[in-house]
């Protein structure tokens, strides 16, 4: 039976392996049973903003119409570069939204996806953020009082370790296991001066070291990793179908290529067996 509606990013639940559901309007399609089976998604040509719902000819920032893209705080540049916090500069588009989302406890963490990287996320988004990045291992380093402070701390750590994921490598294989405890200890030592300066600036309670003794390991529902990465795109190919070989991060891995579901949030599609 076909299900037609507006796409949203996949919902993921930490299990062995991760369970994925695809939101299409109000329906949630359980994707794990489709592994090894045929799956087809057909784009109707209509795109709707995931914020206001209006029809738009082009999607911005993974699902927004242009007016929302230019108006909403969640689309501002400081979401990607939180060290440039607009609230701190007095130029935040939506101060109330910032209080609800940015001025909440955040985690500075290590994740192993295409290799070990540093990242940040709201405490409430653990472990969802790690799953969305395709990490196979993750370990918190610091808990901080706001996204701004997390971004400033990340800048310091990023002088010694990458803060990027190579999505192609992430999709080609499972990352080699790494001693995240050793990496954490080394980075905290290397950045002790920067952390002390942030505590002096924001207060001792604003940054708290974490001593978790367990690495979160994440297994994904994958039958086969692709040897070659071919990105599928609804704007170029409205009808995408093939055998579903795996799901990792926000990607569906078909025998014909990979589809980034989050990129096409707001697209109206019909999903077939």
């Amino acid at each position: 039976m076909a299900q037609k509606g507006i796409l949203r990013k996949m919902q993921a639940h930490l299990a062995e392996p991760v369970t994925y559901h695809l939101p299409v309007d109000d329906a949630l399609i359980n994707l794990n049973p489709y592994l090894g089976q045929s799956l087809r998604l057909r784009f109707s040509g209509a795109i709707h903003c995931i914020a206001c719902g209006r029809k738009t000819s082009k999607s911005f920032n993974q699902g927004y119409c242009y007016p929302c893209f230019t108006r909403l705080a969640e689309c501002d540049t400081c979401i990607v570069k939180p060290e440039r916090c607009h609230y701190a500069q007095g130029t935040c588009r939506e101060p109330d939204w910032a209080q609800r989302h940015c001025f909440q406890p955040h985690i500075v963490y290590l994740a192993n996806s295409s290799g070990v990287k540093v990242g940040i996320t709201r405490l409430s988004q653990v472990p969802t953020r790690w799953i969305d990045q395709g990490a196979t291992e993750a370990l918190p380093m610091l808990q901080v009082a706001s996204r701004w402070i997390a971004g400033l701390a990340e800048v310091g750590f990023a002088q010694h370790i990458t803060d990027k994921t190579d999505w192609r490598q992430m999709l080609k294989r499972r990352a080699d296991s790494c001693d995240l405890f050793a990496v954490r200890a080394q980075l905290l030592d290397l950045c002790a001066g920067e952390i002390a300066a942030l505590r002096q600036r924001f207060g001792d309670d604003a940054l708290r070291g974490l001593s978790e003794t367990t690495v979160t390991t994440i297994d994904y529902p994958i039958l086969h990793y692709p040897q070659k990465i071919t990105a599928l795109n609804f704007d170029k190919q409205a009808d995408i179908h093939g055998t579903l070989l795996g799901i990792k991060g926000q990607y569906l891995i078909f025998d014909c290529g990979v589809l980034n579901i989050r990129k096409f949030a707001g697209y109206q599609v019909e999903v077939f067996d």
Side-chain angles (χ1 to χ4, degrees):
M1 182 180 296
Q3 181 70 47
K4 185 176 182 179
I6 305 301
L7 278 182
R8 295 291 191 274
K9 63 167 284 194
M10 288 186 286
Q11 296 181 12
H13 174 71
L14 184 61
E16 295 184 4
V18 172
T19 57
Y20 280 96
H21 288 82
L22 180 67
V24 180
D25 277 353
D26 294 330
L28 282 177
I29 301 173
N30 185 356
L31 290 174
N32 291 55
Y34 285 96
L35 284 176
Q37 306 298 318
S38 176
L39 184 64
R40 180 181 182 186
L41 294 88
R42 186 170 64 196
F43 173 43
S44 71
I47 306 172
H48 293 265
C49 176
I50 61 174
C52 71
R54 69 163 59 98
K55 194 171 182 180
T56 176
S57 60
K58 184 178 180 181
S59 173
F60 296 85
N61 198 34
Q62 299 178 331
Y64 298 87
C65 65
Y66 188 72
C68 285
F69 171 66
T70 59
R71 177 178 58 84
L72 297 179
E74 61 200 80
C75 296
D76 215 335
T77 54
C78 60
I79 295 300
V80 178
K81 295 184 178 294
E83 70 276 11
R84 301 179 183 178
C85 175
H86 285 182
Y87 190 99
Q89 298 173 21
T91 56
C92 183
R93 296 173 177 177
E94 297 179 276
D96 290 343
W97 184 91
Q99 287 291 340
R100 296 192 305 272
H101 293 83
C102 301
F103 287 87
Q104 300 296 325
H106 277 63
I107 294 291
V108 184
Y109 63 83
L110 293 173
N112 189 5
S113 46
S114 58
V116 181
K117 68 174 288 279
V118 64
I120 69 170
T121 192
R122 286 200 311 274
L123 179 60
S124 61
Q125 289 300 299
V126 173
T128 301
R129 177 61 174 162
W130 300 338
I131 296 172
D132 284 349
Q133 290 185 330
T136 52
E137 302 172 305
L139 181 68
M141 290 197 292
L142 297 172
Q143 181 173 324
V144 302
S146 71
R147 186 174 182 83
W148 181 28
I149 300 173
L152 293 171
E154 184 183 32
V155 168
F157 289 122
Q159 296 178 53
H160 309 283
I161 191 171
T162 185
D163 59 354
K164 303 290 191 299
T165 295
D166 183 332
W167 66 274
R168 291 181 178 274
Q169 290 302 316
M170 179 271 290
L171 289 172
K172 280 185 175 181
R173 62 181 178 84
R174 181 182 177 89
D176 295 333
S177 185
C178 180
D179 187 346
L180 295 184
F181 297 109
V183 177
R184 179 174 69 179
Q186 181 183 34
L187 286 173
L188 290 174
D189 183 58
L190 287 169
C191 296
E194 288 94 333
I195 294 171
L198 289 172
R199 285 190 172 123
Q200 184 174 18
R201 180 178 178 183
F202 295 103
D204 289 340
D205 294 338
L207 294 91
R208 180 164 63 87
L210 298 175
S211 57
E212 269 85 348
T213 57
T214 302
V215 170
T216 298
T217 58
I218 304 172
D219 293 314
Y220 295 90
I222 296 176
L223 299 178
H224 301 289
Y225 281 99
Q227 293 183 339
K228 180 181 178 182
I229 301 297
T230 301
L232 302 172
N233 188 328
F234 280 128
D235 296 323
K236 298 179 180 179
Q237 179 183 348
D239 195 340
I240 293 174
H241 61 276
T243 301
L244 184 64
L245 299 180
I247 316 170
K248 192 175 185 183
Q250 281 291 317
Y251 288 86
L252 298 181
I253 304 172
F254 291 96
D255 57 350
C256 57
V258 300
L259 179 66
N260 182 349
I261 292 295
R262 189 168 193 169
K263 179 179 179 180
F264 298 104
Y267 281 54
Q268 185 185 66
V269 301
E270 199 165 6
V271 183
F272 304 86
D273 294 332

